[in-house]
Amino acid sequence: MKVRAYRKRVWANWQPARDYLKRAWPLYVMIIPGIIVVLLFRYYPMYGVVIAFQDFSPAKGFANSPWVGWRNFEIFFALPDFGRIFGNTLIIAIAKIVADQIGAIILALLLNEARILLFRRTIQTLIYLPYFLSWIVLGGILLDVLAPFGILNQAIGNFGIDRQLFLGSNDWFRGTIITSGFWKNVGFSTIVYLAALTAINPVLHEAAAIDGAGRFRRIWHITLPGILPTIVLLAALSLGDVLEAGFEQILTLYSPAVYRTGDIIDTYVYRIGLISAQFSLAGAVGLFKSFIGFFLIVLSYYLADRYAGYRIL
């Protein structure tokens, strides 16, 4: 009798879940292909990180390649280029994050104050359009525009200014990368802040206007505090991208002449791994970057939860 009563109680507890699955099972069937893709292309390749601890040879495979422990990491940390590559990655990535966030806030405030709807939508479309283009397309455009005899150099030459090697000079390359990255990505961040602005109660602006507050004072005391949680959230989450300086962008635009200021971790891994066939060293560098990135992502979600109340679950 006790066993039968226990079974009835278990069945009663599972009955709501069974009723839900009867209704929602087609949705779970639909996500099966996505789960398979993630498992095959995201989790299964993780086994390949073992080459960071091996003297890997494609002919011998993962199982028969000799184990060397931490030697590849010691080689990487001892390289004279280590500090330069790591520094380039941090400088370019942090500059991109700061420029993107500040620029998006300013553009969102300006568009929010625009009263002509057609003008506002036109500008919004123009700044959002580059986000949908790949760096292969944009890189081809920039290579032509920024060439020594490109449109930009011809334009500044008309004002008596010397032509500049925007993509071939270490003095200009970082600025070019940061500026072109800002041009491509700022539109998406602007949309996020514009959405946050719609949550601000317009009654607050009306009350402030009645009290004599001007447009800039209302922006400072109402608009910016209203989107402050969104600013804090996006700033916290952007910490996870500190080492993501833009592989596709830099690979498309850089050359050996600007390795000193433009070479980052991802492009270095590409060169030593695929071009020089130093697979184990490339695996060690990639694993080092992934470990730092994992720590930064955990930190970003902690800060987002701590200061913006954002949680995944």
Side-chain angles (χ1 to χ4, degrees):
M1 295 297 295
K2 292 182 178 181
V3 174
R4 185 177 300 175
Y6 175 76
R7 290 178 178 176
K8 289 183 179 180
R9 187 164 61 251
V10 171
W11 178 265
N13 292 335
W14 278 93
Q15 191 60 40
R18 293 174 181 271
D19 294 338
Y20 170 77
L21 290 176
K22 287 181 181 180
R23 299 191 307 270
W25 69 266
L27 300 177
Y28 287 94
V29 172
M30 290 175 61
I31 68 172
I32 289 177
I35 294 176
I36 294 175
V37 170
V38 170
L39 292 176
L40 287 178
F41 295 100
R42 295 293 182 179
Y43 287 94
Y44 178 70
M46 287 184 182
Y47 174 72
V49 300
V50 297
I51 69 174
F53 306 95
Q54 295 177 331
D55 184 10
F56 178 73
S57 171
K60 297 179 180 178
F62 295 118
N64 298 319
S65 295
W67 191 266
V68 296
W70 298 97
R71 191 182 71 182
N72 292 312
F73 294 92
E74 294 172 355
I75 293 174
F76 173 59
F77 294 143
L79 288 175
D81 295 335
F82 169 73
R84 173 180 59 81
I85 294 168
F86 193 72
N88 288 341
T89 305
L90 288 178
I91 292 172
I92 294 175
I94 293 175
K96 281 184 174 183
I97 292 172
V98 173
D100 186 30
Q101 295 299 318
I102 295 177
I105 294 171
I106 295 174
L107 283 174
L109 294 175
L110 292 175
L111 289 174
N112 188 61
E113 295 297 322
R115 295 293 176 259
I116 303 176
L117 185 60
L118 179 61
F119 172 79
R120 176 178 174 178
R121 289 182 175 177
T122 302
I123 298 299
Q124 191 172 332
T125 302
L126 290 176
I127 64 175
Y128 196 39
L129 183 61
Y131 181 78
F132 293 99
L133 301 178
S134 70
W135 272 115
I136 302 302
V137 176
L138 293 180
I141 296 173
L142 290 173
L143 287 173
D144 288 336
V145 172
L146 302 177
F149 293 93
I151 298 175
L152 183 58
N153 271 314
Q154 291 182 13
I156 64 177
N158 294 331
F159 293 96
I161 303 175
D162 294 335
R163 300 177 186 270
Q164 303 294 332
L165 296 175
F166 294 103
L167 299 177
S169 170
N170 285 300
D171 296 330
W172 284 98
F173 187 74
R174 277 184 189 162
T176 302
I177 290 295
I178 295 167
T179 303
S180 58
F182 172 82
W183 169 55
K184 184 180 189 300
N185 297 317
V186 71
F188 178 79
S189 300
T190 302
I191 298 298
V192 175
Y193 286 114
L194 282 173
L197 288 171
T198 60
I200 299 176
N201 193 342
V203 175
L204 298 176
H205 287 278
E206 296 173 1
I210 293 174
D211 290 338
R215 178 171 295 183
F216 291 102
R217 191 170 292 274
R218 295 199 302 271
I219 291 174
W220 182 259
H221 292 285
I222 298 175
T223 305
L224 284 177
I227 64 173
L228 184 59
T230 304
I231 296 174
V232 173
L233 173 62
L234 294 181
L237 295 180
S238 65
L239 281 177
D241 296 329
V242 165
L243 294 182
E244 298 295 334
F247 169 71
E248 296 88 352
Q249 177 191 12
I250 295 178
L251 184 65
T252 304
L253 299 177
Y254 85 149
S255 63
V258 292
Y259 280 173
R260 182 168 61 85
T261 57
D263 199 16
I264 61 174
I265 294 177
D266 289 331
T267 55
Y268 182 76
V269 170
Y270 168 78
R271 288 205 319 277
I272 65 173
L274 295 182
I275 297 179
S276 301
Q278 301 181 53
F279 303 110
S280 295
L281 181 59
V285 178
L287 184 59
F288 166 75
K289 181 201 167 188
S290 299
F291 176 78
I292 300 297
F294 174 77
F295 171 77
L296 292 173
I297 290 174
V298 173
L299 177 62
S300 68
Y301 279 105
Y302 168 77
L303 294 176
D305 180 27
R306 177 69 173 79
Y307 296 103
Y310 173 83
R311 292 185 179 182
I312 300 178
L313 298 177

